[in-house]
Amino acid sequence: MISLFDLLKIGIGPSSSHTVGPMIATQRFVKQLDQTDASDSVVRIVVDLYGSLALTGKGHRTDRAAVLGLCGEHPRTVDPESVDPRFAKIQSERVLRWLGKHSIEFDIERDLLFHRDTFLPEHPNGIRCTAMTGSGATLLQKTYLSVGGGFVVEADEIAEAANPLSRDHTAPFVFHSADELLRLCNEHHLTISELVQQNELSFRTAEEIDRELDQIWDVMNHSIEMGCRHEGILPGGLKIQRRAPGIYKKLMGMSLEGETLSLPKDHIDPLSQIDWVTLFALAVNEENAAGGRVVTAPTNGAAGVIPAVLAAQARFDASVDRQAIHTFLRTASAIGMLYKRNASLSAAEMGCQGEVGVACSMAAAGLAAMMGGTPAQIENAAEIGMEHNLGLTCDPVAGLVQVPCIERNAMGAVKAINAARLAVLYGNGEHCVSLDKVIETMRQTGVDMQSKYKETSLGGLAVNVINC
C-alpha cells in the first residue's frame, strides 16, 4: 500500500526525481554492496545517468545527490549546507568513502557519466550503479528508476511499481480509484481523512502518525520561514533574485530596507490574502531551488503548493488547529495516491501537470476537507484542481527548478483555493467530469506529450528564453 508518508517525504531540493531519487538509489546500492562478500574487493564505483536525469541533471544537482548517496547520506537526514563542500572536496581530492567507511579513488569526470542521448526503455529517469575490481570485473551492478516524487525502484520492479495495488495488502480500506474511495467512505460512514487514518494504523500507532504529521508540518513551516528570511541570488547561473523576503517585508508594512512604512489609516487591500498565498509558495520553492530542506509534496518541483494553501488557511482562519492540519494532509495524500497509482508523479513522464497539477489537486482536496466538505465535494475540488492544469508542460530554463517552476507553484496554490471554494461553498458534489476521468486524461495527455516538453529542457521556455 502507498502510505501518506511515501507521498509527503522530508528531503532536500531542488528535485524529487532528480535529487532525492538519485541519492536514495546510490545509497541503496552501497548498502547492498556492503552486505556482499566482495565489498572489500571494490576498487571503483561508476554511476551512469540516463535520459532526463542526464539532460537536466546538472541543474537539478543530480551529480551532488548521487555522490552523497554513495557516501551513505539520505535526503531526509543529510545536512543541506554540507552538500556543496563535501562534493567539492571529493571532486578535488578524488577520494570517496562509500557508505562512509570504504575509501576508493573516485574521479567525478570519469566515474559519474551523463548519457544525454540515451533513454532506458523502462523510464526516462534511469541510473545505473556498477562496482568493479581493479581488473575491471563487475562485482555488483544495479539499475534504478527514479519514477517521480522520490520513489525509486529497480528496473525489474517497474511493472509492479506501475501497479502498486497488485501487491499484498493488510490495510482495511484498499481503493484503486476515486469511485472506490467514495464508495468506501459512504459504506463505512468515514471521511476521506478518517479512512486514510485507518489504513495508516495498519502500519503505525496513532501517536506515531500524529508525530510524523507534526514533523511534516514543521518542515513546511520552516521552509516558508527560511524562504522569507534568505535573501540574494539563487544558484545555477540564471541570476534569479529571491523575491520572498521583499514581498514579506511589504506585506508586513516594511520597506525593503526594513523601515516601517506609514500607510493611510483607511488602507485596505481586499486581495492581500492572495499575496500571502503567493509569498508562501515562492518562499518554499526558492528554498527548494537553493537545495534547502523541503517536504516532497508530492514532488519537490511542486513543493510549495500544499504548504502555501495550508499556511494561508492557518493564518486567516482562527479555528484551524492541529487536527484540522492533519485532516488536510491525510485528505491530500489520498488524492495523491490516486495519481501515483493510476498515472505518474514524474514530470519526465507527464510534464508539469504531473507535479504542480497533482499538487494543486491534492491541495484543493485538503482545503475542501478542512472547510467541512463531503467526500463528494472533496473529490470535485480535486477534479477541478487538475482539470485546469491538463497539458501543463515541464520545460525548465537551463534545467533549473526556477523558471517557470517557482512562480508556477504560486499559481497552482491560488488555483487550488479557487477549486476548493467552488466545490464546497457553491457545489454539492455533483459534477460532469469525475476525478477518475481527469486522472486518466492526464495520463493519456502525458503519454501523447512530446518528450521535449517533459523535463528535458529541449523545448518550450527552455529554448526560447536563453538568458533571464
Side-chain angles (χ1 to χ4, degrees):
M1 190 196 76
I2 302 174
S3 165
L4 76 90
F5 301 115
D6 292 328
L7 286 163
L8 305 177
K9 297 187 287 291
I10 297 171
I12 61 169
S15 172
S16 49
S17 60
H18 286 56
T19 316
V20 173
M23 188 180 292
I24 291 173
T26 55
Q27 188 214 47
R28 186 178 299 175
F29 177 76
V30 291
K31 280 189 171 182
Q32 185 172 351
L33 179 62
D34 194 46
Q35 295 173 355
T36 68
D37 295 334
S39 61
D40 291 336
S41 303
V42 176
V43 172
R44 185 183 177 194
I45 296 177
V46 176
V47 177
D48 294 284
L49 302 168
Y50 297 95
S52 178
L53 284 184
L55 286 164
T56 61
K58 291 292 180 68
H60 288 80
R61 298 167 65 86
T62 306
D63 48 0
R64 287 157 172 75
V67 170
L68 268 290
L70 293 177
C71 295
E73 295 288 358
H74 190 276
R76 183 184 179 97
T77 54
V78 66
D79 177 9
E81 299 295 328
S82 73
V83 173
D84 284 342
R86 291 177 66 182
F87 181 81
K89 183 177 180 180
I90 292 168
Q91 191 171 32
S92 63
E93 296 181 355
R94 298 185 180 183
V95 174
L96 181 145
R97 288 174 56 83
W98 64 270
L99 206 57
K101 58 183 180 180
H102 304 284
S103 292
I104 59 171
E105 181 183 349
F106 190 83
D107 184 337
I108 288 176
E109 297 298 322
R110 180 196 66 182
D111 299 325
L112 183 63
L113 305 175
F114 291 78
H115 303 279
R116 295 175 175 84
D117 58 349
T118 305
F119 284 73
L120 299 185
E122 299 89 353
H123 195 275
N125 293 332
I127 179 168
R128 179 170 293 147
C129 300
T130 307
M132 295 179 287
T133 65
S135 63
T138 298
L139 295 169
L140 181 67
Q141 183 177 83
K142 292 287 182 179
T143 301
Y144 302 95
L145 308 168
S146 182
V147 295
F151 288 86
V152 175
V153 295
E154 291 190 30
D156 56 3
E157 297 173 337
I158 192 65
E160 184 180 17
N163 182 23
L165 291 174
S166 65
R167 306 173 186 174
D168 293 334
H169 292 278
T170 57
F173 301 112
V174 175
F175 54 93
H176 301 71
S177 65
D179 184 63
E180 288 184 2
L181 175 60
L182 293 179
R183 178 178 55 78
L184 288 169
C185 288
N186 291 332
E187 287 180 359
H188 298 278
H189 306 288
L190 296 169
T191 66
I192 294 176
S193 173
E194 290 168 343
L195 185 145
V196 170
Q197 177 76 357
Q198 290 302 310
N199 283 345
E200 292 296 329
L201 286 170
S202 301
F203 306 101
R204 301 171 178 85
T205 66
E207 292 75 16
E208 289 171 336
I209 295 170
D210 286 343
R211 185 166 57 249
E212 184 70 13
L213 286 172
D214 287 341
Q215 188 170 6
I216 286 171
W217 178 228
D218 286 345
V219 172
M220 287 181 173
N221 269 318
H222 186 260
S223 62
I224 291 174
E225 179 184 349
M226 292 298 100
C228 290
R229 182 183 300 176
H230 290 154
E231 299 178 336
I233 304 294
L234 292 173
L238 290 181
K239 299 181 181 180
I240 301 296
Q241 178 74 41
R242 286 181 182 251
R243 285 181 288 176
I247 295 173
Y248 174 73
K249 288 178 180 178
K250 287 186 177 181
L251 289 174
M252 292 299 290
M254 302 169 64
S255 71
L256 293 180
E257 290 73 32
E259 300 171 348
T260 301
L261 296 175
S262 178
L263 299 175
K265 292 182 179 180
D266 60 350
H267 176 80
I268 297 175
D269 184 351
L271 298 180
S272 63
Q273 291 188 16
I274 294 178
D275 296 337
W276 282 100
V277 176
T278 297
L279 166 65
F280 295 151
L282 294 179
V284 172
N285 282 88
E286 286 176 355
E287 274 300 289
N288 177 66
R293 177 81 64 210
V294 296
V295 174
T296 300
T299 69
N300 282 34
V305 177
I306 287 176
V309 174
L310 187 48
Q313 190 70 9
R315 181 181 182 87
F316 295 109
D317 184 350
S319 68
V320 172
D321 57 12
R322 182 192 190 206
Q323 187 55 50
I325 291 168
H326 289 190
T327 293
F328 183 111
L329 294 174
R330 284 193 293 260
T331 305
S333 73
I335 302 305
M337 292 173 196
L338 293 173
Y339 286 99
K340 171 62 180 170
R341 288 165 173 162
N342 298 310
S344 173
L345 305 178
S346 171
E349 286 186 294
M350 295 287 111
C352 198
Q353 61 175 355
E355 295 206 24
V356 168
V358 173
C360 177
S361 184
M362 292 172 64
L367 181 57
M370 186 181 276
M371 294 169 63
T374 65
Q377 289 173 316
I378 292 167
E379 184 260 0
N380 186 16
E383 183 277 324
I384 295 171
M386 173 53 74
E387 184 176 345
H388 305 289
N389 279 295
L390 290 173
L392 195 61
T393 61
C394 179
D395 48 359
V397 176
L400 300 169
V401 190
Q402 297 180 17
V403 180
C405 319
I406 296 173
E407 285 182 354
R408 188 169 284 175
N409 275 257
M411 301 300 109
V414 173
K415 192 179 293 186
I417 294 172
N418 196 7
R421 293 177 65 85
L422 190 59
V424 176
L425 298 182
Y426 309 108
N428 60 7
E430 297 180 4
H431 52 111
C432 181
V433 181
S434 71
L435 178 58
D436 288 327
K437 293 295 185 183
V438 86
I439 292 175
E440 174 57 18
T441 302
M442 186 200 88
R443 188 195 66 80
Q444 292 175 2
T445 303
V447 171
D448 292 340
M449 190 181 292
Q450 294 184 49
S451 62
K452 67 180 181 179
Y453 298 118
K454 295 192 285 189
E455 207 169 8
T456 60
S457 289
L458 297 176
L461 287 176
V463 297
N464 288 312
V465 181
I466 303 303
N467 190 341
C468 291

